[in-house]
Amino acid sequence: MSRSSVSTRTEYRNSDVIRPLPRSFYDRPVEVVARELIGKRLFRETADGLTGGRIVEVEAYLSAGDSACHAARGETRRNASMFGPPGRAYVYAIHSRWCLNAVTEPERTPSAVLIRAIEPLEGVEFMATRRGTDKLLDLARGPGRLCEALDVRRELDGWDLTLGEQLWIARDTRCRVPDEGIVVTPRIGVTSAHELPLRFCLSGSRFVSGRRLSRGD
DNA sequence: CTACCGATTGACT
DNA sequence: GTCAATCGGTAGA
């Protein structure tokens, strides 16, 4: 192949591109964390190598007053991670797909940010193999596709995202997004509380799921 | 055990 | 735009 997008962890050693965000980042109101996750880097490291990209679309799920949140009807085995400490993963299945969340706010305050789409940057070949397509736009556009591309499954439920191993989120100051670069809309697919403006997207990104956002929406 | 549901996706009109 | 396949999780008998 004429182009190699395979990246290794050593390329980024000691760089803020790859250094995991601290727990204090997640220990804040979920809407704040959701907004600030836009532009951050999501990394997944397996035996295959390093995969990941820039987060371009997320949704916040609130600990109170949000009937669409899985925690709204109490703790179960599935949603237990949401009730745990911030900075861990909450991975659940929907329609036979996995979806990845970052748990926010203090323990026993069940809130989380659903990671809905990334712009693929690392290990594009691995992601293409897992997805069964090499269309860049289809690799990780949508929460189920994203988890398939990154090989995120139930085993990673509860994983500590601050360790910088296997699955983590990093700051990338080169990708810092100003407020005006973020579009806020209602959440996609929820059957209740569908009016709340809790979906955050990188304005103009072609890697955002759902209907294309028109300029200024 | 059965019955039902859904924070999805891909195929189709 | 519409529609349903599909399966883990949940509740209830």
Side-chain angles (χ1 to χ4, degrees):
Chain A
M1 303 197 67
S2 58
R3 175 185 58 108
S4 173
S5 62
V6 177
S7 300
T8 65
R9 176 194 275 272
T10 46
E11 282 178 45
Y12 291 124
R13 197 194 304 278
N14 294 326
S15 157
D16 76 345
V17 172
I18 202 168
R19 189 180 305 133
L21 292 164
R23 195 162 324 280
S24 56
F25 176 87
Y26 302 96
D27 194 5
R28 296 182 296 162
V30 63
E31 305 97 313
V32 174
V33 177
R35 177 178 284 270
E36 292 193 18
L37 277 175
I38 296 297
K40 297 289 190 290
R41 291 284 208 108
L42 176 63
F43 285 102
R44 170 80 169 122
E45 192 168 42
T46 68
D48 287 340
L50 194 62
T51 49
R54 178 186 298 121
I55 296 172
V56 297
E57 179 188 2
V58 300
E59 287 175 357
Y61 287 85
L62 314 181
S63 64
D66 183 4
S67 55
C69 181
H70 288 168
R73 279 164 298 283
E75 184 173 355
T76 65
R77 175 146 70 251
R78 174 173 73 153
N79 65 22
S81 292
M82 289 185 89
F83 289 78
R88 295 202 184 168
Y90 166 44
V91 180
Y92 70 90
I94 180 74
H95 289 273
S96 66
R97 318 276 172 168
W98 299 109
C99 294
L100 170 66
N101 296 248
V103 175
T104 60
E105 305 186 16
E107 199 160 351
R108 310 314 299 176
T109 310
S111 60
V113 178
L114 173 67
I115 314 294
R116 287 193 57 93
I118 64 171
E119 175 183 345
L121 293 174
E122 318 301 330
V124 171
E125 291 86 346
F126 302 137
M127 291 192 275
T129 300
R130 290 167 183 158
R131 287 275 300 124
T133 177
D134 43 13
K135 290 185 192 143
L136 195 62
L137 274 176
D138 289 338
L139 291 187
R141 187 168 54 89
R145 293 167 176 149
L146 183 155
C147 283
E148 187 174 34
L150 297 185
D151 194 26
V152 170
R153 289 169 287 113
R154 182 67 174 172
E155 298 92 287
L156 284 166
D157 181 51
W159 184 260
D160 190 340
L161 299 171
T162 69
L163 296 177
E165 300 169 9
Q166 296 199 43
L167 181 66
W168 70 99
I169 302 172
R171 167 166 283 117
D172 184 347
T173 50
R174 300 176 310 179
C175 296
R176 187 162 186 78
V177 180
D179 270 0
E180 59 269 26
I182 293 176
V183 177
V184 185
T185 78
R187 294 172 294 187
I188 300 257
V190 294
T191 55
S192 61
H194 42 275
E195 74 289 354
L196 299 176
L198 294 174
R199 175 172 175 251
F200 301 88
C201 303
L202 182 62
S203 179
S205 173
R206 294 153 61 239
F207 297 94
V208 168
S209 76
R211 270 185 75 68
R212 191 93 337 127
L213 297 163
S214 58
R215 306 156 302 275
D217 270 3

